[in-house]
C-alpha cells in the first residue's frame, strides 16, 4: 500500500482522457508521456485485480496488453496497462462491411495473417497456464502502425478449470476467424457456413471452412488439441493465399505457365534462410536446425477409421487398392511397391514420425518415406522406364532391399546418398522419424539417427509419401510436423523455385539479375554459383564456365570446380578426371562431399556399361582407396565394381555389409550351399540360388514372388503345361511350341514378340523391322547374332562379341584374327550365369585344340565335370561328363533342365565323337541338335544361345566338306 503523499502523486500522474465512467479508463501518463489504460476495482475486488495484474504481467508478449503498475488504496485498486491507439477488430470489420477496408482485412491472406498473430499471443498465454475466457473481436485492437494487442483479460486471476478453458479460447478463435473472413459473426447453434450469401461465400479462401469447423468443434475429444496446432494450419493457408496473390506480380519475362508452377511454393523456399539471405556454413545450418523446436502437428493419423482417405491419396489409381486398414494399422498389400501421398504440399523444415512394423510371416521390405518435389512421387525402380522429371525425389529407406540396410537415395539417377548396414527386427514395432530441412535430411530409428545427408542445392517444398515394399508393411501413429515460416523471404527465392521445377534457363536469368543488382557480396556470390549450376542444367556449358570464373568465394569456387570435373568424363578424359579429383581433394576439404559424388558418378557410368572397362575400373578403385577408404556410402559402387571385375573373394572380405553383392559373389564362386547357409538371404537372392542349383520345386513354391519365376521353373523343368494365369501365355507358350499365338496378342511387349519370332525361326523379322501389328518389335540383338550379323549385334548390345568373331575367323581360316579373338575371351570367373560359360569353357579350348594344344579341351571339360556341381542346374557339369564319356545318355536326360536336355545330349555326343575322331558320328549328332524344334533349344533364359547355334552350324559345314 502507498502512503498518502504517494497516493496523491499517483492520482496527479494519470490524466483521464476518455470516458470517466468506462472501465478500463483511457488516460495519459504525465510523467512518461504515454497513453495508458487504467482498470479500477472496488475494495472488495482489489485482491482479485492484483492477482490478475500479476498473472498478466508474467505473460510478456507484444500481442498481450502490458502491465505498467498496480496501485492500491482505501478506495480499492487501479491497474495501469499499456494502450495502443487504434481501432478494435470488431469496428474494423464493421467499417469493412461499409466499404472502408483496412490493410489487415484487405484480403483473405491479410485477415488470416492477422489471426496468426492473435494465435501467437493466445498460445503464449496458454503456455503459462492462462486462459482468456472472453476472447472476441471487440477485445482485439489493431494499432495505428499495424500492431495487434489483445485486451479484456479481467478474468485471468481465476484458476483454470482444466482443458475446457483452453478449448473455449480455441472455439472463440474459430469464431473470430469466421468473422474476419465473412465480416460478421457466425450464427450460433448451427453450421456457420449453412447460411452464407453468395458474396460471403466468395470471400472464403479454399481450406478455411474445414479449419473453422474444426476450431468451433474443439472440446476434450474433438477438434484442435492446442492453439499452436490451429496456428500452424492458419499459417499454411496464409502462405498459400500469398503465393496465389503473388502470381500476377511475377516478372513479365517469365511465362505465365512457369509462374503458375513456380509460385505454388514461392513463400516456402526460404525456410531457415534469414538475415543476410545466404547459405553460409553447412554445419551452422545443421546446428541451428537441431536447436529449433517443432510446431504442434500439422497432421496426426492413427487410421482408426476411413477418414485417412480424405487426407492421403494414391499417386496412380491402381495403388489405391494397395493399402488397407487392419487392426487399426495401415498395411500395404501390393505385390511390390505401394505409395500413399499426403495430399497437402509441405514446406521445409518438415518431419514425419511413425510406428512401422514388418508383419510376422510377410516378406521383408521397405517401411520408408519418399519426399518428392513434384506432385507425383517418383517410384524408383517402378518408374525406371519413364521419362525422368527435372524435379527431384528422395527415398529415405528403412529396411531397404528386403531389410538389408537403411539408406537415403535420390532420383533421377537412383544414387545412394547415405547408407547404414542396419536391419529392422521383424514382427517388432519401430519408431521411425524422418526430418527434411532445406539442405539436410535424416532418418532415425528408435531414437537414433541412422543415416543423414546434406544436399548441395536445397529442397524447398514437396510431398511426403509412405512407401511400403511387398505386402505386410504396417504404418501407425503417423505425425507430421513443421516449423514456423521465416520472417523474411530469401532474395534467391524465385530462382530456387524455378530451378527446383526444372525451369533452368529462367532460373539462370533470375540469378543473373540478382548478381548484378547491387546486393551484399555473399548474396552475389551465391547467385553466381547457382546461375552457373542452372546454366549447366540447361545445357549452356560455356556460359556456366564464364559465370563461375567470377566466383571469389573459396568454398563456392571449389565446389564449382568439383562439379565441372564431370565434363572430363563426358569427353572421355578419365585419367585427367582422376588426377584433378585427387588434387582437389588434397587442396580443398570444403568440396569433399561434391568430390565424393563425382567419384560415384564416374563409378556409376562404368557399372552401367554392358562390359566393364577393367583398366578404368581398377584405376577408379585405387583412387578411392587413396582418398576416402572405408566410406560406407560409396561402398555400394565399390562392391558392384569388384563383382563386375570378378574379384569375388576381395568383395566378401572387404565389404561384408553389402549383402546383395556378397550373395552374388558366393554364387559366382560356385558356392551356392555356402550362400544358403549365410542366413541373410533375401527372397530374390533365394530365387537366383534356386535357379543356380536347379531346385525348381523350391522356386515354384516360393511365396510372395512375382509368378514369372515360378513359371520359368516349370518351363525349364519340362512342365510348361502346368503354368497357370498370366504366364500361361508367356513364357509357357514358347516352350510348348505355341509361340505363334503370342504374335496375335495385342498387349504383348516387343521383347516377347521378338522371342516368339525366334522360336518360330523368323530371325529376319526379329532382327529387322519386326511385324506390322506390333510397333517396336524387331531390331533384336540375339536375332542379329543368330544371322551372323555380328557388327550389328555388337552395336545393339554396346559390347564386343569375341566368341562369335572367333567362330567366323576359324571358319574362314583367318588364323591371325582367330588368335586375336581367342585372346579376347577371358577365363571364366563367374559361375552364376545361366549362359556365358560355353565360350570360355568349351569354344575357346576347342579352338586351342585345333591350334595344336591337344590337352586344352579335355582339361576344360574335366574342370567343369569336377567343379560345377550345383551350379545352374548342373547343366555344365552334366554336359561335360557326357562329352568325356563319363555319364550315359539317361543321366543327361534326367537333368533338372528337362526342356533343354535333348539339346545338351546331342551337343555332348557330337563333341565326344570329335574328341574320339569319329567325324561321321559327330556330324549326325550335330544334325540331331539342329533337328530339334527351337522351343527345345532355348539354352539362354527364353532364347537360343547364338554362340552355341553358330558353333554347331560351323561344325556341320566343316565336317560336311
Amino acid at each position: 500500500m502507498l502512503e498518502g503523499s504517494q497516493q496523491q502523486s499517483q492520482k496527479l500522474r494519470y490524466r483521464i482522457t476518455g470516458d470517466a465512467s468506462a472501465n478500463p479508463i483511457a488516460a495519459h501518463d504525465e510523467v512518461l508521456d504515454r497513453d495508458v489504460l487504467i482498470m479500477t476495482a472496488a475494495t472488495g475486488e482489489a485482491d482479485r485485480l492484483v492477482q490478475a495484474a500479476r498473472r498478466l504481467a508474467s505473460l510478456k508478449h507484444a500481442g498481450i496488453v502490458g502491465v505498467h503498475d498496480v496501485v492500491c488504496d482505501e478506495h480499492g485498486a487501479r491497474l495501469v496497462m499499456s494502450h495502443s491507439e487504434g481501432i478494435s477488430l470488431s469496428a474494423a470489420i464493421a467499417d469493412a462491411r461499409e466499404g472502408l477496408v483496412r490493410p489487415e482485412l484487405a484480403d483473405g491472406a491479410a485477415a488470416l495473417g492477422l489471426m496468426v498473430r492473435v494465435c501467437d499471443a493466445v498460445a503464449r498465454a496458454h503456455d503459462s497456464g492462462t486462459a482468456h475466457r472472453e476472447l472476441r473481436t471487440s477485445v482485439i485492437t489493431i494499432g495505428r502502425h499495424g500492431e495487434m494487442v489483445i485486451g479484456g483479460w479481467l478474468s485471468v486471476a481465476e484458476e483454470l478449470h482444466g482443458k475446457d478453458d483452453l478449448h473455449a479460447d480455441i472455439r472463440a478463435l474459430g469464431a473470430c476467424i469466421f468473422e474476419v473472413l465473412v465480416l460478421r459473426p457466425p450464427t450460433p447453434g448451427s453450421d456457420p457456413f449453412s447460411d452464407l450469401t453468395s458474396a460471403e461465400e466468395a470471400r472464403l479462401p479454399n481450406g478455411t471452412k474445414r479449419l473453422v469447423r474444426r476450431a468451433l468443434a474443439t472440446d476434450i475429444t474433438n477438434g484442435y488439441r492446442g492453439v499452436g496446432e490451429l496456428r500452424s494450419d492458419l499459417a499454411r493457408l496464409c502462405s498459400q493465399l500469398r503465393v496465389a496473390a503473388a502470381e500476377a506480380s511475377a516478372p513479365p519475362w517469365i511465362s505465365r505457365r512457369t509462374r503458375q508452377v513456380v509460385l505454388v511454393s514461392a513463400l516456402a523456399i526460404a525456410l531457415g534462410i534469414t538475415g543476410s539471405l545466404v547459405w553460409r556454413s553447412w554445419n551452422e545450418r545443421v546446428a541451428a536446425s537441431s536447436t529449433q523446436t517443432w510446431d504442434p502437428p500439422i497432421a496426426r493419423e492413427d487410421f482408426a477409421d476411413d477418414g485417412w482417405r480424405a487426407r492421403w491419396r494414391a499417386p496412380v489409381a491402381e495403388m489405391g487398392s494397395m493399402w488397407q486398414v487392419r487392426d487399426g494399422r495401415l498395411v500395404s498389400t501390393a505385390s511390390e511397391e505401394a505409395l500413399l501421398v499426403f495430399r497437402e504440399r509441405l514446406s521445409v523444415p518438415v518431419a514425419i514420425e511413425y510406428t512401422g512394423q514388418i508383419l510376422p510371416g510377410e516378406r521383408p521390405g521397405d517401411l520408408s518415406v519418399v519426399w518428392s518435389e513434384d506432385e507425383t512421387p517418383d517410384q524408383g525402380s517402378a518408374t525406371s522406364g519413364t521419362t525422368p522429371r527435372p524435379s527431384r525425389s528422395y527415398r529415405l529407406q528403412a529396411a531397404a532391399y528386403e531389410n538389408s540396410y537403411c539408406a537415403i537415395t535420390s532420383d533421377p539417377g537412383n544414387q545412394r546418398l547415405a547408407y547404414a548396414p542396419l536391419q529392422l527386427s521383424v514382427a517388432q514395432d519401430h519408431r521411425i522419424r524422418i526430418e527434411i530441412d532445406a539442405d539436410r535430411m535424416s532418418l532415425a530409428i528408435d531414437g537414433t539417427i541412422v543415416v543423414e545427408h546434406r544436399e548441395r542445392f536445397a529442397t524447398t517444398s514437396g510431398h511426403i509419401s509412405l512407401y511400403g515394399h511387398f505386402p505386410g508393411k504396417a504404418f501407425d501413429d503417423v505425425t507430421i510436423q513443421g516449423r514456423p515460416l521465416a520472417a523474411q523471404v530469401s532474395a534467391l527465392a524465385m530462382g530456387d523455385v524455378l530451378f527446383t521445377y526444372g525451369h533452368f534457363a529462367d532460373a539462370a536469368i533470375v540469378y543473373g539479375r540478382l548478381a548484378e543488382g547491387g546486393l551484399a557480396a555473399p548474396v552475389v556470390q551465391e547467385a553466381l554459383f547457382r546461375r552457373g549450376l542452372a546454366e549447366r542444367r540447361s545445357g549452356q556449358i560455356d556460359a556456366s564456365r564464364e559465370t563461375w570464373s567470377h566466383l571469389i568465394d573459396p568454398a563456392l569456387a571449389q565446389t564449382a570446380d568439383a562439379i565441372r570435373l564431370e565434363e572430363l568424363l563426358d569427353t572421355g578424359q578419365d585419367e585427367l578426371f582422376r588426377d584433378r579429383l585427387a588434387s582437389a581433394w588434397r587442396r580443398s576439404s570444403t568440396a569433399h562431399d561434391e568430390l565424393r559424388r563425382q567419384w560415384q558418378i564416374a563409378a556409376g557410368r562404368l557399372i552401367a556399361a554392358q562390359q566393364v572397362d577393367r583398366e578404368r575400373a581398377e584405376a577408379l578403385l585405387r583412387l578411392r582407396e587413396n582418398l576416402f577408404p572405408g566410406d560406407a556410402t560409396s561402398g555400394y559402387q565399390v562392391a558392384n565394381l569388384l563383382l563386375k571385375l570378378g574379384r569375388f573373394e576381395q568383395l566378401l572380405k572387404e565389404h561384408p555389409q553389402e549383402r546383395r553383392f556378397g550373395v552374388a559373389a558366393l554364387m559366382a564362386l560356385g558356392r551356392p550351399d555356402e550362400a544358403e547357409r549365410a542366413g541373410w538371404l533375401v527372397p530374390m537372392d533365394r530365387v537366383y540360388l534356386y535357379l543356380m542349383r536347379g531346385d525348381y520345386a523350391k522356386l515354384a513354391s516360393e511365396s510372395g514372388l512375382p509368378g514369372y519365376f515360378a513359371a520359368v521353373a516349370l518351363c525349364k523343368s519340362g512342365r510348361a503345361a502346368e503354368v497357370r494365369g498370366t504366364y500361361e501365355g508367356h513364357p509357357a507358350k514358347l516352350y510348348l511350341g505355341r509361340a505363334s499365338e503370342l504374335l496375335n496378342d495385342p498387349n504383348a511387349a516387343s521383347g516377347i514378340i521378338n522371342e516368339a519370332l525366334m522360336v518360330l525361326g523368323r530371325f529376319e523379322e526379329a532382327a529387322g523391322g519386326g511385324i506390322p501389328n506390333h510397333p517396336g518389335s524387331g531390331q533384336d540383338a540375339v536375332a542379329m547374332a543368330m544371322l551372323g550379323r555380328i557388327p550389328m549385334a555388337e552395336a545393339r548390345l554396346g559390347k564386343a562379341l569375341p566368341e562369335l568373331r572367333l567362330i567366323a575367323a576359324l571358319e574362314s581360316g583367318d588364323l591371325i584374327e582367330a588368335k586375336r579373338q581367342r585372346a579376347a575371351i577371358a577365363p571364366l570367373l563367374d559361375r552364376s550365369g545361366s549362359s556365358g560359360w560355353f565360350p570360355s569353357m568349351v569354344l575357346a579350348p576347342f579352338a586351342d585344340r585345333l591350334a595344336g594344344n591337344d590337352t586344352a579341351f579335355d582339361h576344360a571339360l574335366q574342370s567343369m565335370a569336377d567343379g560345377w556341381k550345383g551350379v545352374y542346374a548342373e547343366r555344365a557339369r552334366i554336359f561335360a561328363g557326357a562329352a568325356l564319356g563319363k555319364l550315359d545318355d539317361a543321366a543327361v536326360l534326367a537333368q533338372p533342365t528337362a526342356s533343354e536336355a535333348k539339346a545338351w545330349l546331342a551337343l555332348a555326343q557330337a563333341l565326344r565323337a570329335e574328341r574320339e575322331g569319329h567325324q561321321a558320328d559327330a556330324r549326325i549328332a550335330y544334325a540331331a541338335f539342329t533337328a530339334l524344334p527351337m522351343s527345345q533349344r532355348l539354352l539362354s533364359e527364353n532364347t537360343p544361345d547364338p554362340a552355341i547355334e553358330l558353333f554347331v552350324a560351323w561344325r556341320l559345314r566343316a565336317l560336311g566338306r
Side-chain angles (χ1 to χ4, degrees):
M1 290 291 183
L2 297 175
E3 297 300 326
S5 60
Q6 293 175 314
Q7 295 170 8
Q8 184 63 27
S9 67
Q10 289 288 348
K11 290 178 181 178
L12 294 174
R13 175 176 178 175
Y14 298 107
R15 176 172 52 85
I16 295 175
T17 59
D19 183 359
S21 64
N23 196 16
I25 305 167
H28 186 76
D29 184 343
E30 299 290 351
V31 175
L32 297 178
D33 191 24
R34 62 183 177 182
D35 292 327
V36 296
L37 289 174
I38 300 177
M39 180 172 287
T40 62
T43 304
E45 295 292 327
D47 288 345
R48 183 174 180 277
L49 185 61
V50 171
Q51 292 176 23
R54 288 173 177 166
R55 187 180 291 275
L56 192 58
S58 70
L59 300 184
K60 298 177 182 178
H61 190 280
I64 299 175
V65 63
V67 173
H68 294 328
D69 198 2
V70 64
V71 180
C72 296
D73 57 24
E74 68 276 12
H75 301 293
R78 295 184 299 278
L79 170 60
V80 183
M81 301 175 291
S82 61
H83 175 54
S84 296
E85 185 178 354
I87 185 173
S88 70
L89 181 54
S90 59
I93 292 170
D95 287 346
R97 287 199 299 268
E98 300 300 322
L100 183 61
V101 182
R102 292 180 57 87
E104 292 81 4
L105 301 176
D107 54 33
L112 293 181
L114 175 66
M115 292 309 301
V116 167
R117 290 191 285 154
V118 173
C119 286
D120 285 335
V122 177
R124 173 65 184 90
H126 284 193
D127 287 344
S128 69
T130 299
H132 191 288
R133 296 188 180 90
E134 299 294 336
L135 192 62
R136 54 191 180 275
T137 56
S138 62
V139 302
I140 300 170
T141 298
I142 301 174
R144 291 180 59 185
H145 305 291
E147 65 270 27
M148 183 285 306
V149 179
I150 302 176
W153 295 89
L154 180 62
S155 61
V156 296
E158 296 179 2
E159 293 296 323
L160 287 175
H161 302 297
K163 290 186 177 181
D164 188 60
D165 284 328
L166 306 183
H167 293 157
D169 280 356
I170 296 175
R171 294 192 294 273
L173 285 168
C176 290
I177 295 167
F178 179 95
E179 191 171 349
V180 298
L181 294 172
V182 179
L183 302 183
R184 65 167 173 83
T187 302
S190 64
D191 180 357
F193 301 105
S194 62
D195 58 351
L196 294 180
T197 67
S198 57
E200 290 171 341
E201 184 77 44
R203 294 192 193 104
L204 283 173
N206 289 336
T208 52
K209 286 185 179 181
R210 182 178 68 86
L211 181 149
V212 170
R213 284 192 178 107
R214 186 178 177 191
L216 292 175
T218 295
D219 57 25
I220 199 67
T221 58
N222 299 308
Y224 286 103
R225 297 172 179 85
V227 174
E229 190 175 354
L230 170 60
R231 187 258 184 215
S232 295
D233 280 358
L234 276 175
R236 184 169 56 256
L237 281 174
C238 183
S239 297
Q240 293 169 354
L241 293 173
R242 286 173 176 164
V243 166
E247 181 181 353
S249 61
W253 34 266
I254 299 178
S255 70
R256 182 177 184 276
R257 182 172 182 271
T258 297
R259 293 201 306 269
Q260 289 174 333
V261 174
V262 168
L263 290 168
V264 170
S265 302
L267 293 179
I269 67 167
L271 298 177
I273 307 176
T274 58
S276 65
L277 312 175
V278 184
W279 291 1
R280 291 308 300 163
S281 164
W282 291 111
N283 292 330
E284 290 173 4
R285 293 287 304 281
V286 172
S289 173
S290 65
T291 61
Q292 294 179 23
T293 58
W294 291 88
D295 280 345
I298 296 169
R300 279 183 174 149
E301 203 69 72
D302 57 10
F303 305 104
D305 53 40
D306 242 15
W308 61 273
R309 295 187 182 275
R311 296 176 288 276
W312 300 79
R313 64 175 178 83
V316 291
E318 54 267 29
M319 279 195 179
S321 60
M322 295 180 179
W323 298 91
Q324 59 181 234
V325 174
R326 299 181 195 162
D327 301 323
R329 294 183 293 189
L330 186 71
V331 180
S332 64
T333 60
S335 60
E336 294 189 16
E337 293 177 311
L339 276 164
L340 197 65
V341 188
F342 186 57
R343 291 181 182 273
E344 186 175 312
R345 189 173 188 90
L346 301 168
S347 303
V348 296
V350 65
I352 181 169
E353 190 168 348
Y354 54 94
T355 299
Q357 183 182 133
I358 302 170
L359 296 181
E362 297 286 1
R363 181 177 178 182
D366 280 74
L367 280 165
S368 306
V369 158
V370 173
W371 171 258
S372 176
E373 294 173 341
D374 203 347
E375 186 176 357
T376 302
D378 195 319
Q379 299 163 44
S381 59
T383 58
S384 58
T386 63
T387 302
R389 295 186 296 272
S391 57
R392 300 166 297 178
S393 66
Y394 300 86
R395 277 172 284 157
L396 295 100
Q397 296 178 271
Y401 190 68
E402 309 196 51
N403 199 21
S404 295
Y405 55 82
C406 297
I408 301 175
T409 58
S410 67
D411 287 300
N414 194 26
Q415 186 177 39
R416 184 190 285 182
L417 305 175
Y419 168 85
L422 177 71
Q423 294 175 286
L424 302 187
S425 299
V426 176
Q428 176 180 319
D429 282 345
H430 293 277
R431 194 63 181 167
I432 299 169
R433 181 177 177 86
I434 287 165
E435 296 185 5
I436 300 167
D437 206 337
D439 48 29
R440 175 184 175 269
M441 49 190 69
S442 65
L443 164 67
I445 299 177
D446 297 328
T448 300
I449 293 180
V450 176
V451 286
E452 59 183 333
H453 167 68
R454 290 179 293 179
E455 184 64 46
R456 71 173 176 231
F457 197 92
T459 186
T460 58
S461 68
H463 288 270
I464 270 184
S465 304
L466 301 177
Y467 174 59
H469 210 125
F470 304 126
K473 307 302 160 303
F475 296 81
D476 197 6
D477 298 323
V478 179
T479 300
I480 299 175
Q481 294 175 281
R483 283 186 178 143
L485 292 173
Q488 191 171 10
V489 176
S490 166
L492 303 165
M494 179 64 77
D496 287 353
V497 178
L498 286 164
F499 190 100
T500 295
Y501 281 92
H503 300 276
F504 302 120
D506 284 340
I509 294 172
V510 172
Y511 292 137
R513 293 192 177 192
L514 290 173
E516 299 165 2
L519 297 172
V523 182
V524 170
Q525 287 292 293
E526 188 67 42
L528 282 172
F529 173 76
R530 299 190 195 192
R531 176 183 180 179
L533 198 60
E535 288 167 338
R536 285 181 63 83
R537 294 291 294 274
S538 65
Q540 304 174 63
I541 303 301
D542 291 339
S544 173
R545 293 192 193 110
E546 170 61 24
T547 296
W548 280 347
S549 70
H550 298 288
L551 287 172
I552 58 175
D553 181 289
L556 292 175
Q558 290 162 4
T559 301
D561 288 343
I563 294 171
R564 284 191 55 196
L565 289 175
E566 194 172 350
E567 296 174 25
L568 299 175
L569 294 176
D570 293 338
T571 55
Q573 302 179 72
D574 294 79
E575 186 174 354
L576 185 57
F577 167 84
R578 295 190 296 270
D579 289 345
R580 289 190 178 175
L581 194 153
S583 175
W585 183 274
R586 289 186 286 269
R587 188 176 65 250
S588 169
S589 61
T590 60
H592 278 185
D593 283 343
E594 184 55 50
L595 292 168
R596 186 183 290 107
R597 184 175 298 190
Q598 289 294 318
W599 185 93
Q600 289 178 271
I601 290 172
R605 293 189 181 195
L606 286 178
I607 291 166
Q610 290 281 353
Q611 192 168 5
V612 67
D613 186 313
R614 299 188 67 85
E615 184 178 345
R616 291 166 61 194
E618 296 283 5
L620 206 58
L621 289 171
R622 288 194 299 271
L623 179 66
R624 175 187 176 275
E625 188 62 27
N626 290 334
L627 300 183
F628 43 95
D631 174 62
T633 301
S634 58
Y636 176 87
Q637 284 98 339
V638 174
N640 205 335
L641 283 174
L642 291 175
L643 188 69
K644 286 183 173 290
L645 291 171
R647 290 161 57 176
F648 307 122
E649 295 288 3
Q650 181 182 351
L651 190 163
L652 292 168
K653 179 181 179 181
E654 297 179 2
H655 299 276
Q657 76 280 6
E658 297 292 349
R659 299 183 178 94
R660 178 179 185 179
F661 298 113
V663 170
L666 288 172
M667 293 181 180
L669 290 167
R671 291 150 57 182
D673 291 343
E674 185 177 342
E676 189 170 28
R677 290 194 303 270
W680 35 257
L681 283 180
V682 298
M684 283 306 298
D685 294 332
R686 289 200 298 273
V687 167
Y688 297 123
L689 175 65
Y690 297 154
L691 281 173
M692 282 190 69
R693 300 179 60 173
D695 197 338
Y696 294 134
K698 283 187 178 180
L699 181 59
S701 64
E702 183 71 15
S703 62
L705 293 177
Y708 173 78
F709 294 104
V712 169
L714 289 172
C715 289
K716 288 295 184 183
S717 58
R719 299 161 55 193
E722 299 176 32
V723 176
R724 293 291 180 266
T726 302
Y727 304 104
E728 192 173 354
H730 177 274
K733 287 183 178 178
L734 296 177
Y735 293 85
L736 292 171
R738 296 163 53 191
S740 59
E741 296 176 26
L742 292 172
L743 300 182
N744 298 319
D745 181 356
N747 298 316
S750 58
I752 292 175
I753 295 301
N754 288 341
E755 289 178 0
L757 288 172
M758 284 187 281
V759 169
L760 295 169
R762 295 161 61 174
F763 295 106
E764 286 288 354
E765 291 167 279
I771 57 178
N773 62 328
H774 278 282
S777 60
Q779 297 299 304
D780 188 273
V782 173
M784 294 172 183
M786 291 285 289
L787 293 169
R789 299 168 186 169
I790 300 172
M792 292 177 62
E794 290 177 328
R796 187 71 175 167
L797 292 172
K799 66 176 183 179
L801 298 171
E803 65 276 15
L804 304 188
R805 291 187 176 273
L806 173 60
I807 293 170
L810 289 171
E811 183 164 15
S812 66
D814 187 343
L815 298 183
I816 295 176
E817 177 65 8
K819 185 176 181 180
R820 188 171 73 87
Q821 296 299 336
R822 167 64 184 89
I825 301 176
L828 184 68
L829 299 175
D830 186 353
R831 301 185 188 183
S832 65
S834 60
S835 60
W837 53 268
F838 186 87
S840 177
M841 303 300 292
V842 179
L843 173 60
F846 187 85
D848 294 340
R849 178 176 179 272
L850 294 180
N853 186 346
D854 294 334
T855 61
F857 187 52
D858 282 4
H859 178 76
L861 292 175
Q862 192 62 55
S863 173
M864 283 194 292
D866 293 341
W868 285 63
K869 185 180 173 89
V871 179
Y872 258 100
E874 302 187 63
R875 62 182 66 165
R877 182 186 70 83
I878 293 170
F879 162 79
L884 288 169
K886 296 182 178 182
L887 287 177
D888 59 23
D889 294 355
V892 179
L893 294 175
Q895 66 177 285
T897 49
S899 68
E900 308 170 10
K902 292 180 180 179
W904 289 118
L905 175 59
L907 187 57
Q909 289 172 336
L911 289 175
R912 184 170 67 230
E914 291 223 51
R915 286 181 53 255
E916 296 170 353
H918 304 312
Q919 293 188 357
D921 291 342
R923 188 168 58 249
I924 292 170
Y926 284 129
F929 178 92
T930 59
L932 291 171
M934 191 60 70
S935 59
Q936 296 181 29
R937 287 153 53 191
L938 304 179
L939 306 185
S940 288
E941 186 172 335
N942 295 319
T943 62
D945 188 318
I948 295 175
E949 294 287 339
L950 293 181
F951 174 84
V952 170
W954 162 49
R955 296 313 299 154
L956 274 174
R957 289 189 290 268
L959 295 173
R961 285 198 290 267

